[in-house]
Amino acid sequence: MIKKLMKSIREYKLPSILAPISVTLEVVLEVIIPMLMGKLIDDGINNGNMKNILLIGGALTVLCVFSLLFGALSGNFAAKASAGFAANLRKDMYYKVQEYSFSNIDKFSTASIVTRLTTDVTNVQNAYQMIIRVAVRSPIMLIFSLFMAFGINSELSLIFLMCAPVLGIGLYIIMTKAHPIFERVFKTYDKLNSVVQENLYGIRVVKSFVREEHEEHKFNKVSESIYKDFSKAEKILAFNAPLMQSCIYVCMLLLSWFGAKIIISTAGTPSPMTTGQLISLISYTMQILMSLMMFSMVLVMITISRASAERIVEILDEESDLHNPTEPVFSVENGDVRFENVNFSYAGDENKLCLYDVNLDIKSGETVGIIGGTGASKTSLVQLIPRLYDTTTGKVMVGDRDVREYDIEVLRNEVAVVLQKNVLFSGTIKENLRWGNENATDEELVRVCKLAQADEFIRSFPDGYDTYIEQGGTNVSGGQKQRLCIARALLKKPKILILDDSTSAVDTKTDALIRKAFKEEIPDTTKFIIAQRISSVEDADKIIVLEGGKISGMGTHEELLQSNDIYKEVYYSQQKGGMTNE
């Protein structure tokens, strides 16, 4: 896990190295200061020697200034290294998600990915900053201070060692108890983000049905769960401070008691213990115990960030289950599509299939209508063509080649998909359309918009093609959004065009005009039209009727009216409904 995370340091290796070096120099100077303070008391103040007071006082001033300087440098380097590390980590995670196939994305919820990119990375960033600074400072301070303390009086220095096992056992118990709770908390964070995201996305529906109170209850329930878990974890971590303070006070008390006795008992001997030495020893005691306290803080931060680090590595370790072949094909010859004995399961399990034994042969330029009830796997069928998913068994052929032989980018550039869920991004209409072709001219934009019957309503806006689209396309209607998405897909000049129920929000007249434009303007493009309305597909070259993931019937409109009961039932029910509406 650590090795995986460290790959994201990259260009921030230098500040990551300079931070602990600066900290080391800071610690060395800080360790010398108590020794000089002892000498100042013994050789200067107690003897009334002003020369020694000025000399030692001057040395102390210089040491303090340089210690402060190295401390500031270490803080600067640590902040730069940790911020850069976090930026690279977010970038690596984001780029990794872009490589995922649909099935990989299905494993992680959107809210979970957002939490990992934000909260989890921040936790790891804070931990990294403490590791390269405080985690380096604490053990070095501990070792140097112990060395100096034992040099002054080895017997009194044994007091420090008494606290070590108490602190070690206490910290181990705190860490092992707190870590599982933090793991649970971060999973609950995913639920919280999911609730918020869902609420904001569907805020119009919430208000339309007056369900604000229900949504508030959902939010409060998840929020309360986080509060309880965090409170429980923080209560455990709260034992860290009193444990450390107790050890500090006990050591100070014992040192003062036994130190005073030793000073009195050794007075007049050849090697007496002086007041300055006791002051130095007390200072080293404070440094030792403060270094232990800081180290315990690092361990607490590592405990919190460990769960976050594991969740980040899950994203980085996830490998796309769609790969380019070793020798990919870089051109699609034509729009022929063939399904050969295709079975498909989202779980990759032949016992959980959603498509069964599909065999199709579509020639380039044909228009294929797909009809079926909810859950008939219409979308699943067309998603196999641009290789958004791979078949479980069998193969899908495009241009007389298995789709798994193509370079994925090349294949998807030749297959334009207008998904069931239309998505527009914040930006102008021009910027959204140029997702289909970033180098498209204004004339090309107008052409495809005319084909998609979008040009007229675009020109009705005050800013025309420069009209700003809000996030998610909330300032355009459902039908307008669908037509913009169709125009965007046409801009790719694809060999295969897939419309997944993409004209459901437009009126039948506009739907007919779009189909007429397709027939006249892009006759060589193979067109798959998934629809609920028979009128949207009745003039197709072939109509496929799906039921329960199986092909129930296939043929022209007239042929299916004669041979397929499902198609006939849908047709007459819609005809009757149309007559009733009239």
Side-chain angles (χ1 to χ4, degrees), residues 337-340 358-362 381 528 542 544 551 554:
V337 178
R338 192 162 73 250
F339 283 68
E340 296 182 0
V358 176
N359 287 280
L360 293 171
D361 192 359
I362 313 298
L381 178 73
F528 288 84
K542 288 177 185 172
I544 299 166
I551 295 178
M554 182 167 56

Side-chain angles (χ1 to χ4, degrees), residues 362 365-371 515-516 518-519 526-531 533-544 554-560 567:
I362 313 298
E366 286 188 336
T367 299
V368 180
I370 302 176
I371 288 284
R515 286 184 282 111
K516 182 183 176 184
F518 285 174
K519 191 172 184 178
T526 307
K527 297 164 280 290
F528 288 84
I529 302 174
I530 296 175
R533 294 188 300 226
I534 295 288
S535 60
S536 297
V537 297
E538 64 182 346
D539 58 350
D541 299 305
K542 288 177 185 172
I543 300 172
I544 299 166
M554 182 167 56
T556 63
H557 172 67
E558 291 75 17
E559 289 170 348
L560 289 171
Y567 188 83

Side-chain angles (χ1 to χ4, degrees), residues 30-43 56 60 141 144-153 156-157 160 252 255-256 259 263 273-289:
E30 282 189 15
V31 169
I32 296 172
I33 288 172
M35 180 187 70
L36 290 179
M37 285 174 61
K39 285 190 171 296
L40 180 66
I41 293 169
D42 291 337
D43 299 341
I56 298 171
L60 279 170
M141 177 71 80
F144 283 11
S145 295
L146 274 173
F147 178 79
M148 297 297 285
F150 272 91
I152 295 171
N153 191 301
L156 283 177
S157 300
F160 307 139
M252 293 290 290
L255 273 174
S256 300
I263 288 173
M273 183 173 180
T274 64
T275 304
Q277 288 177 329
L278 181 59
I279 296 297
S280 297
L281 201 56
I282 290 173
S283 296
Y284 286 127
T285 303
M286 290 299 296
Q287 286 184 345
I288 290 167
L289 295 177

Side-chain angles (χ1 to χ4, degrees), residues 238-257:
F239 283 103
N240 178 59
L243 178 66
M244 291 300 307
Q245 287 173 353
S246 298
C247 290
I248 289 174
Y249 295 147
V250 168
C251 286
M252 293 290 290
L253 186 63
L254 293 175
L255 273 174
S256 300
W257 175 261

Side-chain angles (χ1 to χ4, degrees), residues 10 35 41 46 64 67 171 192 251 265 313 323 329 353 396 399 415 434 455 535 539 545 561 574:
R10 294 196 289 277
M35 180 187 70
I41 293 169
N46 286 347
C64 288
S67 176
L171 290 174
L192 181 69
C251 286
S265 62
V313 171
H323 300 284
V329 176
L353 296 175
V396 178
V415 182
R434 286 195 171 109
D455 181 65
S535 60
D539 58 350
V545 181
L561 279 178
Q574 290 184 2

